[in-house]
Structure formats: structure tokens, C-alpha cells
Amino acid sequence: MYKKHQTNVLFWLLLLAIVYVFSIAKDPTLGDSLPFTIQAYHGFTFESNATNHFLYTNFLALVYKILPFINPHFLFVGVSIFSGILSLFYLHKLLGLLDVSPKSSLMCVLIFGLSFTFWRQSIITEVYTFYLVFVILFLLNLFKFLKEKNIKHFYYLSFFFGVLFLIHIQTILFILLYIYFLFKNFGYLKKHIVYGGLITILLFSVLLIPVVLGYNSFISIFTDNAYQDSIFNFNIVTILKSSVKNLGFLIYNFIFFIVFIFWGLKNKNGIDYILIGIIPFLAFCIKHNISDIYVFHLVPYVFLLILLGRG
């Protein structure tokens, strides 16, 4: 029965991959997709500023060095598609770990995979599906530790936490969840916290190398002018408008399935981790009022899908 279900999952993931492939535009889209394509085509880059996404852009450059005979546009979009499918595969595992039934897990994967936001990010050269793979691996090991109390999962999640910083600086929003996890499990982790934290810090410190070499400033690792203007300026009208816009994207992506999210709140297993994980991202999305804010929704959607699946 389990093998049959796994076969079904792989079959649907293959169909989604086909949908994504046939959705690829013949040229890079405007926005970040075009600059990422040009940048990776020209080779490695050593800036670690907030919009460069150090590990992602250099991974694209490495892939093109290995496969220079493939059109870079299609090659880099292929990375997005592969990352998207891989993130859906691990999402299915995460949902199963959190006691979501196999059928509900598959349904959540399909809802997410066919949602506008996920589909859009999977068919262009963008960082977010690549980032999402490591987000889900981080969460998978966090919840595995909570379930099994196996110390190896703490080291794995600390490693993935560090990797996330190298991909996107919005990983800062996971710090509260990480600290809460350490506090709640201190009895199990007290002999390992320093070593796990050191793994994360060492990986994060890679971002400091370009600073030392003069490629960019320290503050640029964390923010740019666009972020500063939207995050540090407080305007209640703007926040209300942003809340409506973000809610609109949520409804557009999940339609009537949203009602199951509220039912999922009744399941108290791990609910504190889910809420502490999602709240900083929701606050950021509301405060960072930009036209394409939906690109930042993928991470909070993972938490919402856990609730949806358990509803």
C-alpha cells in the first residue's frame, strides 16, 4: 500500500514537472529573472548583499560551467523546476511526519504545486523554489527531532539553517523559531547546543568574506534601500492595504481550501512551533508592502499547508 502511494506521488510530481516545462517562456522574464540569468552566465560572483543570494547565484554559475552547451535561460529555469519538484517531494514527507494522512498529503502537494505563486516561481529563474527545498529540509529535521529525539537531526537542522542564510537573508525570520526550539529542548541539547550553533555560525560567516575583501558592506548583507523604506516606515493605512493584498493572494492561491486551515488549528501537536515559525513571515509580508510580495509567501504557505492537511 505504501509503495503504491509513493508511486502515485511520483506520478503526480512528474505531471507537475511536465506542466512547468510547458509553461517556460522562450526568453527570461523581466524583474530579477533577467539579472540572475545574465549574472550566472558571466560566472561566479562574490557579493553577499541582500539581493545577490550568494549560494543560489553561484550554484547557477557552477551548473552552467558544467553544462555550457545548454541555453542558459532554459538551464537556469530547469534548476527552478527541479527545485520546485524536490521541495514538493520533501513537503509530502514533512506532512506525513506531522500525521497528515497520505491522501491529504498528496492533495496538499497538488494544491501547492498548482497554486499561482508556486507555479510562477517554478518556471522562471528565481531563488525561491531553490530556497524552499532547504526550508523544508530544515523543518523536516526540526520536527523529526521533536518526534524521535535523535541528536543527529539537531545537527542536520543547524546545518540547513546555516545554508538558508547563504541563499536568502529572510532566514533571519527563522531565528525566533530556532531559539524557541533550543529553549524547549535544552534538556536534550545542552551538550550539543554550542556545536550545533557553531555549524550555523560558520556557514553564515561565509557571507562575511566578501565584506572583508571589500565587495560589499556589512549592512548590505541584511538590507537594501527598498527593504529599509518599506520595513522601517510605519503607516497604518499602508499596513491595512497590505493586509488586504496579502489576504487576496492567499485566497487566490488556495480558494475554498482555506477553511481547512482553521480546522487544522484544533490539532495541538506542534502547534506552538508552527505559529512561532509563521508569525514573523506573516508580519514581514504585511510590513514589506511591495507589488510582488507574493514571492515571500512560499515559506508561510508551508506552515499553512501543515494546518490545511491536518484540518
Side-chain angles (χ1 to χ4, degrees), residues 5 17 32 42 98 119 139 158 178 187 196 202 238 241 244 248 263 281 283:
H5 176 72
D32 290 340
H42 285 295
L98 293 170
W119 166 81
L139 295 175
S158 296
Y178 188 69
L202 286 174
T238 302
K241 288 181 178 178
V244 171
W263 292 344
F281 285 92

Side-chain angles (χ1 to χ4, degrees), residues 5 12 32 83-84 111 239 261:
H5 176 72
W12 284 107
D32 290 340
S83 298
I111 291 170
I239 289 176
I261 294 172

Side-chain angles (χ1 to χ4, degrees), residues 191-211:
K191 295 181 180 179
H192 303 273
I193 285 178
V194 172
Y195 303 112
L198 189 59
I199 291 172
T200 301
I201 291 170
L202 286 174
L203 285 166
F204 172 81
S205 66
V206 172
L207 297 176
L208 301 178
I209 297 174
V211 176

Side-chain angles (χ1 to χ4, degrees), residues 50-51 168 223-232 284 288 296:
T51 56
H168 203 301
T223 186
D224 63 13
N225 292 332
Y227 282 79
Q228 292 177 31
D229 292 342
S230 65
I231 293 174
F232 297 112
F284 174 81
H288 187 43
F296 293 102

Side-chain angles (χ1 to χ4, degrees), residues 151-213:
I151 202 66
K152 72 177 183 180
H153 295 304
F154 169 61
Y155 286 110
Y156 290 159
L157 74 89
S158 296
F159 170 78
F160 288 122
F161 190 37
V163 170
L164 286 172
F165 277 107
L166 299 181
I167 303 172
H168 203 301
I169 201 58
Q170 72 166 311
T171 303
I172 288 173
L173 301 173
F174 272 124
I175 289 178
L176 182 62
L177 176 61
Y178 188 69
I179 292 174
Y180 180 75
F181 167 80
L182 296 179
F183 174 76
K184 289 282 286 186
N185 297 277
F186 183 78
Y188 295 100
L189 298 173
K190 56 186 176 182
K191 295 181 180 179
H192 303 273
I193 285 178
V194 172
Y195 303 112
L198 189 59
I199 291 172
T200 301
I201 291 170
L202 286 174
L203 285 166
F204 172 81
S205 66
V206 172
L207 297 176
L208 301 178
I209 297 174
V211 176
V212 174
L213 296 176

Side-chain angles (χ1 to χ4, degrees), residues 72-298:
H73 165 56
F74 295 114
L75 180 63
F76 299 154
V77 174
V79 171
S80 294
I81 291 175
F82 179 77
S83 298
I85 296 300
L86 195 60
S87 63
L88 292 175
F89 175 78
Y90 284 122
L91 174 63
H92 183 266
K93 287 186 173 294
L94 175 63
L95 294 172
L97 179 69
L98 293 170
D99 303 319
V100 179
S101 70
K103 288 185 178 179
S104 295
S105 296
L106 179 57
M107 182 61 68
C108 288
V109 166
L110 292 176
I111 291 170
F112 194 36
L114 292 171
S115 67
F116 167 77
T117 300
F118 190 89
W119 166 81
R120 179 62 178 167
Q121 297 307 302
S122 295
I123 62 167
I124 60 175
T125 302
E126 254 290 11
V127 66
Y128 296 102
T129 57
F130 184 78
Y131 181 67
L132 199 63
V133 173
F134 294 93
V135 166
I136 296 174
L137 286 171
F138 167 71
L139 295 175
L140 191 58
N141 280 281
L142 186 149
F143 285 109
K144 275 187 176 181
F145 178 86
L146 296 178
K147 195 166 190 176
E148 303 171 9
K149 295 298 186 287
N150 189 327
I151 202 66
K152 72 177 183 180
H153 295 304
F154 169 61
Y155 286 110
Y156 290 159
L157 74 89
S158 296
F159 170 78
F160 288 122
F161 190 37
V163 170
L164 286 172
F165 277 107
L166 299 181
I167 303 172
H168 203 301
I169 201 58
Q170 72 166 311
T171 303
I172 288 173
L173 301 173
F174 272 124
I175 289 178
L176 182 62
L177 176 61
Y178 188 69
I179 292 174
Y180 180 75
F181 167 80
L182 296 179
F183 174 76
K184 289 282 286 186
N185 297 277
F186 183 78
Y188 295 100
L189 298 173
K190 56 186 176 182
K191 295 181 180 179
H192 303 273
I193 285 178
V194 172
Y195 303 112
L198 189 59
I199 291 172
T200 301
I201 291 170
L202 286 174
L203 285 166
F204 172 81
S205 66
V206 172
L207 297 176
L208 301 178
I209 297 174
V211 176
V212 174
L213 296 176
Y215 285 100
N216 54 264
S217 67
F218 176 76
I219 194 65
S220 67
I221 293 175
F222 303 96
T223 186
D224 63 13
N225 292 332
Y227 282 79
Q228 292 177 31
D229 292 342
S230 65
I231 293 174
F232 297 112
N233 292 332
F234 184 84
N235 185 305
I236 189 64
V237 175
T238 302
I239 289 176
L240 290 173
K241 288 181 178 178
S242 179
S243 299
V244 171
K245 179 167 51 178
N246 280 280
L247 181 61
F249 281 124
L250 176 65
I251 295 171
Y252 184 64
N253 278 293
F254 295 118
I255 320 174
F256 56 84
F257 293 104
I258 294 173
V259 68
F260 294 101
I261 294 172
F262 297 100
W263 292 344
L265 289 169
K266 296 178 180 179
N267 188 327
K268 302 304 180 184
N269 181 26
I271 192 67
D272 50 343
Y273 290 93
I274 294 170
L275 293 178
I276 290 172
I278 194 174
I279 287 173
F281 285 92
L282 293 180
F284 174 81
C285 288
I286 291 171
K287 194 68 184 71
H288 187 43
N289 184 36
I290 57 173
S291 59
D292 60 346
I293 189 61
Y294 64 87
V295 301
F296 293 102
H297 288 179
L298 291 182

